[in-house]
């Protein structure tokens, strides 16, 4: 541990917002991941900017996480600093402009809460987001989507801290939003707020649709096991889960990691799996599907830490 760096860190953010050797398994839905040297929970963008500036000055590697619902962290953890906005349920504002509902949400707001609140405030079309267990920041970064809807359909702009720690507002059409892709994946930017616009409709109908989509998730997805959702992106013209099932890999297991028999698109932490177990299953699935169907399965899950 770099005590000189720690001494400088506590001059810009209070000690109770910094953890050393924090186990990242506690911050991922896979429940997997070794310790991060430093784990910092800034309360506002100004604090986050100061921490990022210090990291750059001191050449301390850093990474940003949301709710860890699309992350596989290595067993060795992360050598550097992890920045995470704490859960910020209150940082949501709704207002009406003509026949649209507009919203501004902090990056740490749970997407599930935001989508339900948007429906209650009169939004229609955003129901798909109510079952995605990430943060608003993570959802923008991933252009999360489900059941035919995507974040990009409703996003107006994001506010980010850029590489110099300066605030920038970036319009959605500059973010190159595509299937599980945004330009943020190539930039060291920290999203701290996002703005949305929704068509308006019947609140009761929107809430019913959310309940219906949640029921479908419970029926079809292995929500009883820790996972990061769909492990692979949907290859053009195919469904990853179907290819994996057709390859006879339902239930395929290495160590504590397995291909879910309920939904083959999910690699699950069935029993105290390590990150290495998950990666061993991932690699076997990729190799088998490539051999059988000549299809490359690309990881949707993001990797953090050393996987060499
Ligand atoms: C049971 C289950 C079901 C799921 N269903 C879906 C689904 O239907 N559709 C779907 O799209 N996804 C789904 N996911 C995956 C996941 O919920 C989404 O990808 C989500 O958007 C990730 O958000 P997060 O806050 O957890 O991000 P994290 O997993 O913490 O991070 C993901 C990436 O985003 C970056 N990031 C996070 N926050 C920020 C920020 N503020 N600024 C800059 N970068 C940031 C991180 O660096 C990382 O690279 C599912 C996951 C689970 C466990």
């Amino acid at each position: 541990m770099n005590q000189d760096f720690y001494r400088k860190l506590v001059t810009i953010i209070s000690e109770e917002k910094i953890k050393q050797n924090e186990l990242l398994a506690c911050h991922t839905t896979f429940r997997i991941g070794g310790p991060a040297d430093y784990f910092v929970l800034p309360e506002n963008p100004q604090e986050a900017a100061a921490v990022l500036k210090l990291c750059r000055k001191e050449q301390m590697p850093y990474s940003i996480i949301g709710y860890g619902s699309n992350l596989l962290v290595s067993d060795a953890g992360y050598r550097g600093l992890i920045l995470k906005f704490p859960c910020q349920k209150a940082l949501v504002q709704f207002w009406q402009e003509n026949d649209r509902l507009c919203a501004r949400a902090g990056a740490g707001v749970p997407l599930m809460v935001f989508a339900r609140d948007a429906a209650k405030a009169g939004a229609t079309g955003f129901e798909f987001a109510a079952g995605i267990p990430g943060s608003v920041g993570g959802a923008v970064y991933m252009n999360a989507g489900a059941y035919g809807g995507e974040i990009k359909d409703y996003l107006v702009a994001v506010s980010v801290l850029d590489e110099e720690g300066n605030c920038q507002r970036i319009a959605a059409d500059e973010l190159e939003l595509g299937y599980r892709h945004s330009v943020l994946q190539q930039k060291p930017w920290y999203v701290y707020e996002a703005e949305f616009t929704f068509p308006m409709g019947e609140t009761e109908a929107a809430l019913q649709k959310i309940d219906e989509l949640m029921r479908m998730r419970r029926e079809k997805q292995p929500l009883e096991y820790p996972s990061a959702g769909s492990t692979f992106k949907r290859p053009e013209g195919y469904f990853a889960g179907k290819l994996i099932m057709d390859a006879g890999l339902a239930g395929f297991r290495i160590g504590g990691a397995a291909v879910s028999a309920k939904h083959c698109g999910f690699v699950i932490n069935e029993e105290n799996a390590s990150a290495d177990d998950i990666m061993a299953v991932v690699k076997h699935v990729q190799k088998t599907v490539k051999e059988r169907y000549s299809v490359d399965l690309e990881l949707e899950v993001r990797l953090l830490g050393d996987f060499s």
Side-chain angles (χ1 to χ4, degrees):
M1 210 64 67
N2 180 339
Q3 285 313 321
D4 182 46
F5 177 78
Y6 186 75
R7 268 195 298 278
K8 288 176 180 157
L9 192 58
V10 292
T11 63
I12 55 172
I13 187 161
S14 60
E15 243 172 307
E16 69 268 19
K17 294 177 194 162
I18 309 167
K19 295 174 180 180
Q20 294 189 73
N21 279 319
E22 175 74 356
L23 207 56
L24 293 177
C26 304
H27 301 277
T28 65
T29 53
F30 255 136
R31 300 277 165 256
I32 290 173
D37 293 342
Y38 305 98
F39 186 87
V40 177
L41 294 150
E43 216 160 274
N44 52 51
Q46 292 72 29
E47 279 186 355
V51 173
L52 294 181
K53 272 184 184 159
L54 179 69
C55 287
R56 287 190 192 105
K57 186 158 170 263
E58 300 295 319
Q59 298 186 333
M60 174 63 66
Y62 68 88
S63 204
I64 294 152
I65 68 167
Y67 288 174
S69 63
N70 200 39
L71 277 185
L72 179 62
V73 180
S74 80
D75 298 315
Y78 185 72
R79 300 290 71 77
L81 181 145
I82 297 287
L83 202 67
K84 170 182 168 149
F85 271 127
C87 178
Q88 303 166 307
K89 282 188 192 162
L91 285 190
V92 182
Q93 278 174 283
F94 291 107
W95 69 97
Q96 215 175 313
E97 270 177 27
N98 303 318
D99 57 347
R100 307 282 295 183
L101 181 75
C102 303
R104 183 176 295 123
V109 173
L111 190 65
M112 287 176 153
V113 172
F114 177 53
R116 215 172 254 279
D117 285 352
K120 285 182 193 157
T124 186
F126 199 55
E127 298 86 352
F128 73 89
I132 301 177
S135 62
V136 165
V140 170
Y141 179 97
M142 291 304 301
N143 185 28
Y147 303 110
E150 283 178 296
I151 290 294
K152 80 173 175 57
D153 304 335
Y154 305 95
L155 190 69
V156 175
V158 289
S159 297
V160 302
L161 295 171
D162 67 15
E163 45 272 72
E164 304 303 329
N166 298 318
C167 297
Q168 275 197 51
R169 183 177 180 275
I170 301 173
D173 58 11
E174 289 174 45
L175 289 175
E176 296 173 21
L177 296 164
Y179 173 64
R180 302 300 172 267
H181 178 268
S182 73
V183 79
L184 299 164
Q185 294 170 10
Q186 278 97 51
K187 306 262 187 193
W189 289 347
Y190 189 4
V191 177
Y192 64 89
E193 195 174 82
E195 295 161 49
F196 297 85
T197 173
F198 307 105
M200 296 191 73
E202 283 294 314
T203 293
E204 232 7 79
L207 291 173
Q208 266 176 24
K209 185 153 182 203
I210 287 178
D211 289 345
E212 170 64 9
L213 295 179
M214 295 302 286
R215 191 184 57 71
M216 282 163 64
R217 277 184 186 267
R218 282 192 297 273
E219 250 174 50
K220 300 209 166 109
Q221 299 182 355
L223 301 183
E224 59 280 23
Y225 289 104
S227 79
S230 296
T231 311
F232 305 99
K233 290 187 181 175
R234 185 172 3 93
E236 189 104 23
Y238 300 91
F239 289 102
K242 172 133 179 32
L243 287 174
I244 298 166
M245 188 174 70
D246 292 349
L249 291 171
F252 174 80
R253 184 169 163 154
I254 295 177
V259 172
S260 163
K262 190 171 176 184
H263 186 318
C264 291
F266 282 53
V267 175
I268 55 173
N269 175 0
E270 198 169 55
E271 199 185 1
N272 299 321
S274 63
D276 286 348
D277 292 343
I278 300 278
M279 280 312 281
V281 170
V282 162
K283 285 189 176 141
H284 180 78
V285 167
Q286 286 173 323
K287 183 168 171 284
T288 309
V289 167
K290 178 77 176 171
E291 280 167 6
R292 296 267 173 97
Y293 305 108
S294 304
V295 175
D296 290 307
L297 288 181
E298 192 191 332
L299 267 185
E300 176 168 328
V301 170
R302 314 282 302 177
L303 303 179
L304 184 64
D306 191 4
F307 281 91
S308 53

